[in-house]
Amino acid sequence: MTVFGGLFDIDKKREDIQELEARIAIPDFWDDNDTAQEILRNRTSMEKVVDNWNSLVRQLEDVKVLIELGAEAEDKDILDEVHELNNTLEKGVADAEFHRMLSGPHDRSSCYFSINPGAGGTESQDWAEMLLRMYLRYFEKKGWKAEITEYQPGDEAGIKGCTVYVNAEYAYGYLKAEAGIHRLVRISPFDSNARRHTSFASVFAFPEISDDIDVKIIESDLRIDTYRSSGAGGQHVNTTDSAVRITHMPTGIVVACQSERSQHMNKATAMKMLRSKLFEKELEEREAKAAELSSDKKEIGWGSQIRSYVLHPYKMVKDLRTGVETGNPDAVLDGDLDDFIVPFLMGVRRTVADD
């Protein structure tokens, strides 16, 4: 376990916490509220890592003591308890290792999460709405706060597109794994002949960036349109006359927000989304590393999907990047996604030998 302690930089995190505590104790700490809040978030995040590590160390000590007791007394019940505690310890170390992997510059950030149907009209629009439901259930299970900021209903069913703001630590770190094309195969509920259809929808995540990151936006480069909100209603969208759509004409980036009750607030949220997208684009161009943030943005169709969801003639969900699959698509569509997300983020990749 000492080796793992070095791997997770626990001593360094303890030192960093002490440094942050010293900064918090400075009398003018709250003069810059945004910076102060960021420091407090960093401290809380590092304290969680250290507390989790301390818990693992205590579990290891418990295992050692029980092993000694079980060996001396030759007590099978104690050895069974050792086995159970050891499994819990292994899972804890694996979870800690996973969170260590989420060390990218934006992995801890909240994020904006968008879903758009591919070609195919009602079929793909219905599939996009199914994905929206799946992710909302996933966010709920993770205990994440999610708010639909844009919702465009389909002509007959489903959605033409939506954007969700996911407010949670490490939301982007997790959800970047879902960026790409998702493929559905099923008997169409919209086909009177009950034929099998294939539908596609794209998913994309981009991180929320802090206000202290400078992104230059020229007002004359923006086209700002207002329109009446429409959508699922209820907890998802407030029906108002103040929805805002902003088009950044030099890049063609379009963002929209309709979740707030005033045009001013919708515009402010849309501008935050625009800043995040422009910052991401700037990083891609400057670093020439589009694979980190948006390499999965591809044509919404054949040959570019990351995951297939098959409901007919058999039931299966398979991630085409990792090879992870399950025969229970109902559970997946109900938000059980970590079995796909975690392997991808841990670096599991499918090879030719897997086929």
Side-chain angles (χ1 to χ4, degrees), residues 98-109:
F98 170 67
H99 279 94
R100 191 183 71 86
M101 295 290 292
L102 297 180
S103 57
H106 309 292
D107 283 351
R108 284 182 53 200
S109 301

Side-chain angles (χ1 to χ4, degrees), residues 128-188:
E129 186 170 49
M130 290 171 64
L131 286 175
L132 173 60
R133 178 189 178 277
M134 177 182 78
Y135 286 114
L136 289 176
R137 293 302 304 273
Y138 177 67
F139 303 153
E140 180 182 348
K141 290 181 179 183
K142 300 291 285 186
W144 293 350
K145 294 180 180 178
E147 178 184 14
I148 297 178
T149 59
E150 180 195 13
Y151 185 98
Q152 302 177 53
D155 295 325
E156 298 178 26
I159 58 173
K160 293 182 178 178
C162 70
T163 301
V164 183
Y165 172 57
V166 187
N167 183 10
E169 188 177 35
Y170 290 108
Y172 176 69
Y174 276 81
L175 295 177
K176 65 183 181 182
E178 293 299 284
I181 312 306
H182 297 245
R183 169 178 174 252
L184 172 70
V185 179
R186 64 171 174 175
I187 296 295
S188 170

Side-chain angles (χ1 to χ4, degrees), residues 4 113 116 168 224 230 234-235 280 342:
F4 283 120
F113 192 75
N116 292 284
I224 301 177
S230 60
Q235 64 179 345
E280 174 205 4
V342 172

Side-chain angles (χ1 to χ4, degrees), residues 115-351:
I115 303 172
N116 292 284
T122 301
E123 289 290 343
S124 293
Q125 291 173 15
D126 186 58
W127 171 223
E129 186 170 49
M130 290 171 64
L131 286 175
L132 173 60
R133 178 189 178 277
M134 177 182 78
Y135 286 114
L136 289 176
R137 293 302 304 273
Y138 177 67
F139 303 153
E140 180 182 348
K141 290 181 179 183
K142 300 291 285 186
W144 293 350
K145 294 180 180 178
E147 178 184 14
I148 297 178
T149 59
E150 180 195 13
Y151 185 98
Q152 302 177 53
D155 295 325
E156 298 178 26
I159 58 173
K160 293 182 178 178
C162 70
T163 301
V164 183
Y165 172 57
V166 187
N167 183 10
E169 188 177 35
Y170 290 108
Y172 176 69
Y174 276 81
L175 295 177
K176 65 183 181 182
E178 293 299 284
I181 312 306
H182 297 245
R183 169 178 174 252
L184 172 70
V185 179
R186 64 171 174 175
I187 296 295
S188 170
F190 307 102
D191 188 331
S192 59
N193 295 315
R195 290 173 294 189
R196 188 171 66 186
H197 284 248
T198 299
S199 306
F200 298 93
S202 69
V203 168
F204 185 57
F206 54 99
E208 180 183 31
I209 62 171
S210 60
D211 292 337
D212 58 358
I213 295 177
D214 183 30
V215 176
K216 294 181 180 179
I217 299 177
I218 301 173
E219 193 73 22
S220 60
D221 287 342
L222 305 180
R223 186 178 74 238
I224 301 177
D225 302 307
T226 59
Y227 59 99
R228 182 176 176 82
S229 299
S230 60
Q235 64 179 345
H236 300 317
V237 176
N238 293 319
T239 303
T240 71
D241 295 311
S242 57
V244 174
R245 180 185 297 110
I246 301 176
T247 304
H248 186 254
M249 292 182 288
T251 61
I253 292 174
V254 179
V255 295
C257 181
Q258 63 187 56
S259 61
E260 306 294 347
R261 294 190 178 275
S262 74
Q263 186 179 117
H264 175 75
M265 294 175 67
N266 279 325
K267 181 180 177 182
T269 299
M271 287 297 293
K272 287 180 64 177
M273 295 166 63
L274 179 61
R275 289 181 70 250
S276 293
K277 284 196 171 186
L278 288 173
F279 178 70
E280 174 205 4
K281 181 176 176 61
E282 181 180 330
L283 279 181
E284 292 173 359
E285 294 173 349
R286 185 174 63 206
E287 301 173 8
K289 289 170 63 178
E292 287 188 4
L293 292 178
S294 63
S295 63
D296 294 317
K297 293 178 69 176
K298 304 172 183 177
E299 179 185 356
I300 309 178
W302 290 100
S304 55
Q305 62 265 21
I306 66 166
R307 191 176 302 145
S308 288
Y309 306 71
V310 181
L311 304 183
H312 184 85
Y314 52 88
K315 289 180 176 288
M316 182 184 71
V317 178
K318 183 167 186 174
D319 195 293
L320 304 179
R321 304 163 300 176
T322 63
V324 173
E325 63 180 74
T326 176
N328 187 3
D330 292 339
V332 176
L333 293 172
D334 202 35
D336 289 352
L337 294 173
D338 275 341
D339 287 345
F340 294 96
I341 291 175
V342 172
F344 177 77
L345 293 176
M346 290 295 288
V348 175
R349 295 295 183 272
R350 192 180 186 192
T351 64

Side-chain angles (χ1 to χ4, degrees), residues 5-207:
L7 181 64
F8 297 131
D9 293 328
I10 298 302
D11 290 338
K12 178 64 166 59
K13 284 182 171 58
R14 290 192 177 108
E15 293 175 2
D16 291 343
I17 290 172
Q18 290 179 351
E19 292 179 4
L20 292 180
E21 292 286 2
R23 294 182 64 182
I24 293 170
I26 295 174
D28 61 355
F29 174 71
W30 286 103
D31 288 354
D32 186 339
N33 184 68
D34 290 340
T35 300
Q37 293 290 350
E38 181 63 22
I39 290 173
L40 292 175
R41 283 193 292 268
N42 287 338
R43 183 189 64 174
T44 300
S45 178
M46 284 189 284
E47 284 178 340
K48 287 180 181 178
V49 174
V50 173
D51 289 345
N52 183 58
W53 172 254
N54 290 337
S55 174
L56 292 175
V57 171
R58 288 193 296 270
Q59 290 178 50
L60 175 61
E61 295 303 321
D62 291 342
V63 169
K64 288 180 178 178
V65 170
L66 285 173
I67 288 175
E68 293 174 1
L69 290 175
E72 292 175 2
E74 298 183 355
D75 190 327
K76 183 178 181 301
D77 290 339
I78 292 179
L79 293 178
D80 288 342
E81 186 177 353
V82 168
H83 180 71
E84 183 177 340
L85 284 175
N86 191 59
N87 288 340
T88 301
L89 180 61
E90 288 182 356
K91 183 180 184 303
V93 172
D95 289 344
E97 170 65 9
F98 170 67
H99 279 94
R100 191 183 71 86
M101 295 290 292
L102 297 180
S103 57
H106 309 292
D107 283 351
R108 284 182 53 200
S109 301
S110 297
C111 80
Y112 296 98
F113 192 75
S114 63
I115 303 172
N116 292 284
T122 301
E123 289 290 343
S124 293
Q125 291 173 15
D126 186 58
W127 171 223
E129 186 170 49
M130 290 171 64
L131 286 175
L132 173 60
R133 178 189 178 277
M134 177 182 78
Y135 286 114
L136 289 176
R137 293 302 304 273
Y138 177 67
F139 303 153
E140 180 182 348
K141 290 181 179 183
K142 300 291 285 186
W144 293 350
K145 294 180 180 178
E147 178 184 14
I148 297 178
T149 59
E150 180 195 13
Y151 185 98
Q152 302 177 53
D155 295 325
E156 298 178 26
I159 58 173
K160 293 182 178 178
C162 70
T163 301
V164 183
Y165 172 57
V166 187
N167 183 10
E169 188 177 35
Y170 290 108
Y172 176 69
Y174 276 81
L175 295 177
K176 65 183 181 182
E178 293 299 284
I181 312 306
H182 297 245
R183 169 178 174 252
L184 172 70
V185 179
R186 64 171 174 175
I187 296 295
S188 170
F190 307 102
D191 188 331
S192 59
N193 295 315
R195 290 173 294 189
R196 188 171 66 186
H197 284 248
T198 299
S199 306
F200 298 93
S202 69
V203 168
F204 185 57
F206 54 99

